[in-house]
Amino acid sequence: MSKEISTPVRTKEILEKYGFKFKKSLGQNFLIDSNILTKIVDQAKLTPESGAIEIGPGIGALTEKLAKQANKVVAFEIDQRLLPILEDTLSPYPHVNVRHTDVLEANVHQVIEEEFEKGQDLMVVANLPYYVTTPILMKLLEEKLPVRGIVVMIQKEVAERIAASPGSKNYGSLSLAVQYYAEARTALTVPKTVFVPQPNVDSSVLHLELRSEPPVDLHSEKYFFEVIRASFGQRRKTLMNNLQNNLLGKDKKPAIEEVLEETEIDGRRRGETLSMEEFAKLSNAFYSRFNS
Ligand code: SAM
Protein backbone atom coordinates (compact mmCIF):
# COMPACT_ATOMS: atom_id res chain seq x y z
CA MET A 1 0.00 0.00 0.00
CA SER A 2 1.57 3.32 -0.98
CA LYS A 3 1.88 6.20 1.43
CA GLU A 4 -0.95 8.67 1.87
CA ILE A 5 -1.07 11.36 -0.82
CA SER A 6 -0.76 14.11 1.80
CA THR A 7 2.69 13.12 3.08
CA PRO A 8 5.34 15.62 1.94
CA VAL A 9 7.39 12.85 0.29
CA ARG A 10 4.51 11.39 -1.72
CA THR A 11 3.22 14.85 -2.71
CA LYS A 12 6.69 15.73 -4.01
CA GLU A 13 6.87 12.45 -5.93
CA ILE A 14 3.48 13.05 -7.55
CA LEU A 15 4.29 16.65 -8.49
CA GLU A 16 7.64 15.59 -9.99
CA LYS A 17 6.22 12.60 -11.83
CA TYR A 18 3.78 14.87 -13.67
CA GLY A 19 6.00 17.96 -13.84
CA PHE A 20 3.15 19.86 -12.20
CA LYS A 21 3.59 23.64 -11.82
CA PHE A 22 1.30 25.43 -9.36
CA LYS A 23 -1.01 28.10 -10.71
CA LYS A 24 -1.27 30.93 -8.23
CA SER A 25 -4.25 32.32 -10.14
CA LEU A 26 -6.20 29.15 -9.22
CA GLY A 27 -5.38 29.40 -5.52
CA GLN A 28 -3.31 26.20 -5.62
CA ASN A 29 -1.86 25.64 -2.15
CA PHE A 30 -1.86 21.93 -1.43
CA LEU A 31 -2.01 20.47 2.07
CA ILE A 32 0.88 18.27 3.14
CA ASP A 33 -0.08 17.50 6.74
CA SER A 34 -2.02 14.32 7.34
CA ASN A 35 -3.02 15.31 10.90
CA ILE A 36 -4.56 18.58 9.78
CA LEU A 37 -6.47 16.79 7.03
CA THR A 38 -7.78 14.27 9.55
CA LYS A 39 -8.93 17.10 11.79
CA ILE A 40 -10.75 18.76 8.90
CA VAL A 41 -12.52 15.53 7.99
CA ASP A 42 -13.37 14.86 11.66
CA GLN A 43 -15.24 18.16 11.74
CA ALA A 44 -17.61 16.83 9.08
CA LYS A 45 -18.75 13.89 11.25
CA LEU A 46 -19.20 11.61 8.27
CA THR A 47 -20.73 8.16 8.61
CA PRO A 48 -20.23 5.22 6.23
CA GLU A 49 -23.55 6.25 4.64
CA SER A 50 -22.55 9.90 4.11
CA GLY A 51 -21.75 11.54 0.82
CA ALA A 52 -19.03 14.18 0.54
CA ILE A 53 -18.72 16.99 -1.96
CA GLU A 54 -15.27 18.51 -2.41
CA ILE A 55 -14.30 21.66 -4.26
CA GLY A 56 -10.78 21.71 -5.70
CA PRO A 57 -9.28 18.28 -4.96
CA GLY A 58 -5.79 19.29 -6.18
CA ILE A 59 -3.81 16.04 -6.26
CA GLY A 60 -6.31 14.33 -3.96
CA ALA A 61 -4.90 14.70 -0.43
CA LEU A 62 -8.21 15.62 1.21
CA THR A 63 -10.22 13.55 -1.26
CA GLU A 64 -8.40 10.41 -0.11
CA LYS A 65 -9.25 11.08 3.54
CA LEU A 66 -12.88 11.68 2.60
CA ALA A 67 -12.95 8.50 0.52
CA LYS A 68 -11.85 6.48 3.53
CA GLN A 69 -14.88 7.62 5.51
CA ALA A 70 -17.68 8.38 3.10
CA ASN A 71 -19.89 6.21 0.96
CA LYS A 72 -19.21 8.42 -2.06
CA VAL A 73 -17.14 11.52 -2.88
CA VAL A 74 -17.79 13.94 -5.72
CA ALA A 75 -15.11 16.55 -6.38
CA PHE A 76 -15.21 19.60 -8.67
CA GLU A 77 -11.83 20.55 -10.16
CA ILE A 78 -11.32 23.44 -12.57
CA ASP A 79 -7.74 22.63 -13.62
CA GLN A 80 -7.63 20.16 -16.52
CA ARG A 81 -3.96 19.34 -15.77
CA LEU A 82 -4.98 17.73 -12.47
CA LEU A 83 -7.38 15.23 -13.99
CA PRO A 84 -4.84 12.58 -15.10
CA ILE A 85 -3.04 13.00 -11.77
CA LEU A 86 -6.25 12.44 -9.81
CA GLU A 87 -7.10 9.44 -11.93
CA ASP A 88 -3.78 7.96 -10.86
CA THR A 89 -3.69 8.99 -7.17
CA LEU A 90 -7.33 8.13 -6.52
CA SER A 91 -7.37 4.85 -8.44
CA PRO A 92 -7.75 2.82 -5.19
CA TYR A 93 -11.03 4.66 -4.52
CA PRO A 94 -13.62 3.85 -7.20
CA HIS A 95 -16.33 5.60 -5.21
CA VAL A 96 -14.71 8.99 -5.94
CA ASN A 97 -15.96 10.89 -8.93
CA VAL A 98 -14.03 13.93 -10.16
CA ARG A 99 -15.89 16.42 -12.32
CA HIS A 100 -13.90 18.82 -14.45
CA THR A 101 -15.88 22.00 -13.78
CA ASP A 102 -15.60 25.48 -12.35
CA VAL A 103 -17.79 25.06 -9.28
CA LEU A 104 -19.14 28.58 -9.77
CA GLU A 105 -20.57 27.51 -13.13
CA ALA A 106 -21.76 24.10 -11.98
CA ASN A 107 -25.37 23.11 -11.44
CA VAL A 108 -24.67 21.61 -8.02
CA HIS A 109 -28.32 20.68 -7.39
CA GLN A 110 -28.31 18.58 -10.54
CA VAL A 111 -24.96 16.98 -9.69
CA ILE A 112 -26.30 16.03 -6.26
CA GLU A 113 -29.39 14.50 -7.85
CA GLU A 114 -27.25 12.51 -10.30
CA GLU A 115 -24.58 11.35 -7.87
CA PHE A 116 -26.25 10.77 -4.51
CA GLU A 117 -29.25 8.97 -3.08
CA LYS A 118 -32.31 11.05 -2.29
CA GLY A 119 -32.15 12.13 1.35
CA GLN A 120 -28.53 10.94 1.77
CA ASP A 121 -26.52 12.70 4.48
CA LEU A 122 -24.27 15.14 2.59
CA MET A 123 -21.40 17.38 3.62
CA VAL A 124 -19.28 19.82 1.64
CA VAL A 125 -15.65 19.56 2.71
CA ALA A 126 -12.89 21.56 1.03
CA ASN A 127 -9.64 23.41 1.21
CA LEU A 128 -10.97 26.32 -0.83
CA PRO A 129 -9.02 28.37 -3.35
CA TYR A 130 -8.67 31.68 -1.48
CA TYR A 131 -9.27 33.94 -4.48
CA VAL A 132 -12.91 32.81 -4.68
CA THR A 133 -13.79 31.77 -1.11
CA THR A 134 -16.70 34.14 -0.63
CA PRO A 135 -18.38 33.62 -4.04
CA ILE A 136 -18.14 29.84 -3.59
CA LEU A 137 -19.55 29.90 -0.07
CA MET A 138 -22.36 32.29 -1.00
CA LYS A 139 -23.27 30.17 -4.04
CA LEU A 140 -23.47 27.01 -1.90
CA LEU A 141 -25.60 28.78 0.73
CA GLU A 142 -27.89 30.80 -1.53
CA GLU A 143 -28.71 27.79 -3.68
CA LYS A 144 -30.06 26.07 -0.56
CA LEU A 145 -28.46 22.74 -1.36
CA PRO A 146 -29.68 19.63 0.45
CA VAL A 147 -26.52 19.33 2.56
CA ARG A 148 -26.10 19.08 6.35
CA GLY A 149 -23.16 21.41 6.49
CA ILE A 150 -19.96 22.81 5.10
CA VAL A 151 -16.44 22.41 6.50
CA VAL A 152 -13.88 24.54 4.71
CA MET A 153 -10.33 25.68 5.13
CA ILE A 154 -10.20 29.36 4.27
CA GLN A 155 -8.17 32.48 5.02
CA LYS A 156 -8.20 33.02 8.79
CA GLU A 157 -9.30 36.60 8.53
CA VAL A 158 -12.31 35.70 6.36
CA ALA A 159 -13.28 32.86 8.72
CA GLU A 160 -13.22 35.31 11.62
CA ARG A 161 -15.41 37.78 9.73
CA ILE A 162 -17.90 35.05 8.88
CA ALA A 163 -18.19 33.71 12.44
CA ALA A 164 -18.16 37.14 14.16
CA SER A 165 -20.83 38.27 16.65
CA PRO A 166 -22.52 41.69 16.83
CA GLY A 167 -20.35 44.35 18.43
CA SER A 168 -17.02 42.82 17.42
CA LYS A 169 -14.73 44.52 14.94
CA ASN A 170 -14.99 41.64 12.46
CA TYR A 171 -18.79 41.68 12.36
CA GLY A 172 -20.28 42.91 9.10
CA SER A 173 -22.45 42.11 6.12
CA LEU A 174 -20.50 38.90 5.41
CA SER A 175 -21.19 37.59 8.95
CA LEU A 176 -24.90 38.24 8.51
CA ALA A 177 -25.03 36.90 4.94
CA VAL A 178 -23.57 33.57 6.05
CA GLN A 179 -25.21 33.33 9.47
CA TYR A 180 -28.63 33.80 7.90
CA TYR A 181 -28.14 30.39 6.28
CA ALA A 182 -25.95 28.62 8.81
CA GLU A 183 -24.58 28.50 12.32
CA ALA A 184 -20.94 29.42 11.92
CA ARG A 185 -17.89 28.72 14.05
CA THR A 186 -14.18 28.57 13.46
CA ALA A 187 -12.82 25.15 14.34
CA LEU A 188 -9.05 25.35 14.16
CA THR A 189 -6.30 27.69 13.03
CA VAL A 190 -3.70 26.33 10.67
CA PRO A 191 -0.19 27.71 10.07
CA LYS A 192 1.14 28.48 6.58
CA THR A 193 3.75 25.74 6.89
CA VAL A 194 1.31 22.89 6.17
CA PHE A 195 0.89 23.94 2.53
CA VAL A 196 2.96 23.79 -0.64
CA PRO A 197 3.53 26.41 -1.82
CA GLN A 198 3.08 28.36 1.44
CA PRO A 199 0.40 31.06 1.18
CA ASN A 200 0.98 34.55 2.58
CA VAL A 201 -1.78 34.25 5.14
CA ASP A 202 -2.78 31.93 7.97
CA SER A 203 -5.82 29.75 7.55
CA SER A 204 -8.74 28.55 9.65
CA VAL A 205 -11.22 25.77 9.34
CA LEU A 206 -14.74 27.14 9.25
CA HIS A 207 -17.65 24.92 10.24
CA LEU A 208 -21.11 25.81 8.94
CA GLU A 209 -24.13 23.89 10.08
CA LEU A 210 -26.98 24.71 7.75
CA ARG A 211 -30.23 25.89 9.30
CA SER A 212 -33.39 23.99 8.49
CA GLU A 213 -35.43 27.17 9.01
CA PRO A 214 -34.39 30.80 8.51
CA PRO A 215 -33.47 32.38 11.88
CA VAL A 216 -35.70 35.43 11.26
CA ASP A 217 -39.02 36.06 9.49
CA LEU A 218 -38.59 38.40 6.56
CA HIS A 219 -40.96 40.20 4.20
CA SER A 220 -38.18 40.12 1.60
CA GLU A 221 -34.79 38.41 1.80
CA LYS A 222 -33.44 40.63 -0.96
CA TYR A 223 -34.45 43.81 0.86
CA PHE A 224 -33.05 42.52 4.17
CA PHE A 225 -29.62 42.15 2.56
CA GLU A 226 -29.94 45.59 0.93
CA VAL A 227 -30.61 47.16 4.34
CA ILE A 228 -27.61 45.32 5.79
CA ARG A 229 -25.28 46.37 2.96
CA ALA A 230 -26.45 49.97 3.29
CA SER A 231 -25.99 49.95 7.07
CA PHE A 232 -22.35 48.90 6.74
CA GLY A 233 -21.74 51.24 3.76
CA GLN A 234 -19.44 53.51 5.76
CA ARG A 235 -18.48 51.71 8.94
CA ARG A 236 -17.74 54.86 10.91
CA LYS A 237 -21.08 56.48 10.15
CA THR A 238 -24.23 56.03 12.17
CA LEU A 239 -27.11 53.84 11.10
CA MET A 240 -29.16 56.98 10.35
CA ASN A 241 -26.47 58.36 8.05
CA ASN A 242 -25.88 55.11 6.26
CA LEU A 243 -29.59 54.48 5.71
CA GLN A 244 -30.02 57.97 4.27
CA ASN A 245 -26.90 57.86 2.11
CA ASN A 246 -26.98 54.30 0.88
CA LEU A 247 -30.61 53.17 0.90
CA LEU A 248 -33.38 55.71 0.95
CA GLY A 249 -32.01 59.19 0.26
CA LYS A 250 -31.69 62.37 2.30
CA ASP A 251 -35.28 63.45 1.61
CA LYS A 252 -36.55 60.40 3.55
CA LYS A 253 -34.98 61.54 6.84
CA PRO A 254 -38.28 62.08 8.70
CA ALA A 255 -39.66 58.74 7.56
CA ILE A 256 -36.45 56.95 8.54
CA GLU A 257 -36.65 58.58 11.97
CA GLU A 258 -40.22 57.38 12.38
CA VAL A 259 -39.33 53.80 11.45
CA LEU A 260 -36.35 53.80 13.80
CA GLU A 261 -38.59 55.04 16.61
CA GLU A 262 -41.27 52.47 15.83
CA THR A 263 -38.71 49.64 15.88
CA GLU A 264 -36.98 51.07 18.97
CA ILE A 265 -33.59 51.12 17.29
CA ASP A 266 -31.42 54.15 18.01
CA GLY A 267 -30.29 55.76 14.73
CA ARG A 268 -27.08 56.93 16.40
CA ARG A 269 -25.91 53.32 16.69
CA ARG A 270 -23.51 51.85 14.14
CA GLY A 271 -24.46 48.92 11.92
CA GLU A 272 -21.92 46.67 13.61
CA THR A 273 -23.91 46.75 16.89
CA LEU A 274 -27.17 45.44 15.40
CA SER A 275 -28.13 41.80 15.76
CA MET A 276 -29.70 39.82 12.93
CA GLU A 277 -33.09 40.12 14.70
CA GLU A 278 -32.75 43.92 14.76
CA PHE A 279 -31.85 44.04 11.06
CA ALA A 280 -34.88 41.85 10.36
CA LYS A 281 -37.16 44.17 12.35
CA LEU A 282 -35.74 47.21 10.58
CA SER A 283 -35.90 45.79 7.07
CA ASN A 284 -39.47 44.51 7.57
CA ALA A 285 -40.56 47.93 8.81
CA PHE A 286 -38.88 49.77 5.91
CA TYR A 287 -40.23 47.24 3.45
CA SER A 288 -43.81 47.72 4.67
CA ARG A 289 -43.45 51.47 4.46
CA PHE A 290 -41.61 51.91 1.17
CA ASN A 291 -42.14 48.80 -0.94
CA SER A 292 -45.65 47.59 -0.52
N1 SAM B 1 -7.77 19.94 -1.92
C1 SAM B 1 -6.37 20.13 -2.25
C2 SAM B 1 -5.55 20.15 -0.96
O1 SAM B 1 -6.14 20.41 0.09
O2 SAM B 1 -4.36 19.92 -1.03
C3 SAM B 1 -6.13 21.41 -3.06
C4 SAM B 1 -6.67 22.69 -2.48
S1 SAM B 1 -6.17 24.14 -3.35
C5 SAM B 1 -6.25 25.34 -2.03
C6 SAM B 1 -7.59 24.66 -4.30
C7 SAM B 1 -7.99 23.77 -5.47
O3 SAM B 1 -9.16 24.32 -6.07
C8 SAM B 1 -6.97 23.64 -6.59
O4 SAM B 1 -6.88 22.30 -6.97
C9 SAM B 1 -7.58 24.48 -7.74
O5 SAM B 1 -7.18 24.07 -9.02
C10 SAM B 1 -9.04 24.29 -7.49
N2 SAM B 1 -9.94 25.39 -7.98
C11 SAM B 1 -9.65 26.70 -8.08
N3 SAM B 1 -10.71 27.39 -8.50
C12 SAM B 1 -11.71 26.48 -8.68
C13 SAM B 1 -13.06 26.58 -9.15
N4 SAM B 1 -13.60 27.76 -9.47
N5 SAM B 1 -13.80 25.44 -9.24
C14 SAM B 1 -13.26 24.24 -8.90
N6 SAM B 1 -12.00 24.09 -8.47
C15 SAM B 1 -11.22 25.19 -8.36
Side-chain angles (χ1 to χ4, degrees):
M1 184 83 184
S2 53
K3 281 195 275 314
E4 281 193 319
I5 300 167
S6 58
T7 57
V9 173
R10 175 103 193 272
T11 297
K12 191 161 171 265
E13 274 168 20
I14 296 166
L15 297 175
E16 276 172 6
K17 177 174 171 190
Y18 289 91
F20 185 80
K21 297 270 174 294
F22 294 101
K23 266 196 193 156
K24 213 175 166 190
S25 62
L26 291 180
Q28 291 178 337
N29 301 97
F30 296 170
L31 273 163
I32 48 162
D33 186 315
S34 177
N35 289 329
I36 298 283
L37 284 160
T38 301
K39 284 186 187 161
I40 297 174
V41 176
D42 283 352
Q43 286 292 323
K45 299 219 172 349
L46 299 170
T47 73
E49 283 77 46
S50 303
I53 299 168
E54 188 188 358
I55 294 145
I59 59 169
L62 176 59
T63 328
E64 176 176 53
K65 296 269 188 193
L66 293 169
K68 285 181 177 166
Q69 293 202 12
N71 162 279
K72 184 164 190 186
V73 184
V74 174
F76 295 93
E77 176 55 63
I78 197 172
D79 188 348
Q80 169 93 53
R81 299 172 309 150
L82 289 165
L83 300 193
I85 307 183
L86 288 163
E87 205 161 304
D88 176 5
T89 59
L90 298 175
S91 60
Y93 309 101
H95 57 304
V96 174
N97 197 354
V98 177
R99 291 193 168 224
H100 177 218
T101 334
D102 175 347
V103 71
L104 291 172
E105 302 290 325
N107 183 340
V108 185
H109 268 288
Q110 195 182 325
V111 171
I112 290 177
E113 224 167 86
E114 286 168 12
E115 300 271 8
F116 297 104
E117 299 294 327
K118 208 171 163 32
Q120 186 170 358
D121 177 58
L122 295 180
M123 284 296 288
V124 176
V125 186
N127 170 20
L128 286 182
Y130 293 175
Y131 77 108
V132 277
T133 301
T134 310
I136 292 177
L137 280 180
M138 290 321 298
K139 174 188 164 98
L140 298 175
L141 294 169
E142 283 167 0
E143 289 187 354
K144 301 188 175 154
L145 302 171
V147 304
R148 171 163 53 89
I150 301 175
V151 174
V152 278
M153 169 97 87
I154 59 174
Q155 197 178 325
K156 180 166 173 262
E157 183 226 322
V158 179
E160 283 168 355
R161 278 168 50 207
I162 288 176
S165 308
S168 74
K169 72 173 184 348
N170 290 322
Y171 181 70
S173 45
L174 183 62
S175 329
L176 286 150
V178 173
Q179 290 176 30
Y180 176 70
Y181 298 102
E183 277 183 54
R185 63 181 169 79
T186 51
L188 63 142
T189 301
V190 180
K192 304 173 181 116
T193 47
V194 300
F195 300 90
V196 278
Q198 287 189 23
N200 299 322
V201 291
D202 282 325
S203 305
S204 275
V205 176
L206 176 76
H207 186 126
L208 300 178
E209 198 174 317
L210 299 205
R211 300 182 191 280
S212 49
E213 296 285 330
V216 286
D217 278 330
L218 299 175
H219 296 344
S220 157
E221 262 179 28
K222 187 166 168 280
Y223 194 68
F224 171 67
F225 289 117
E226 278 172 31
V227 170
I228 290 171
R229 260 193 303 277
S231 305
F232 286 101
Q234 289 122 310
R235 276 191 89 95
R236 292 180 175 282
K237 298 227 157 142
T238 63
L239 194 58
M240 183 68 207
N241 269 321
N242 271 326
L243 289 170
Q244 275 185 76
N245 297 343
N246 311 322
L247 188 73
L248 295 155
K250 292 241 186 290
D251 57 318
K252 295 283 189 310
K253 190 171 181 206
I256 298 173
E257 275 168 348
E258 275 176 40
V259 171
L260 286 167
E261 199 164 317
E262 174 195 320
T263 52
E264 297 178 340
I265 294 171
D266 188 335
R268 291 166 302 182
R269 287 170 63 185
R270 298 218 173 114
E272 70 212 48
T273 68
L274 266 68
S275 65
M276 181 158 349
E277 290 69 28
E278 288 177 310
F279 274 117
K281 210 154 84 167
L282 203 57
S283 94
N284 285 345
F286 279 129
Y287 192 82
S288 305
R289 185 152 185 146
F290 296 111
N291 293 286
S292 51

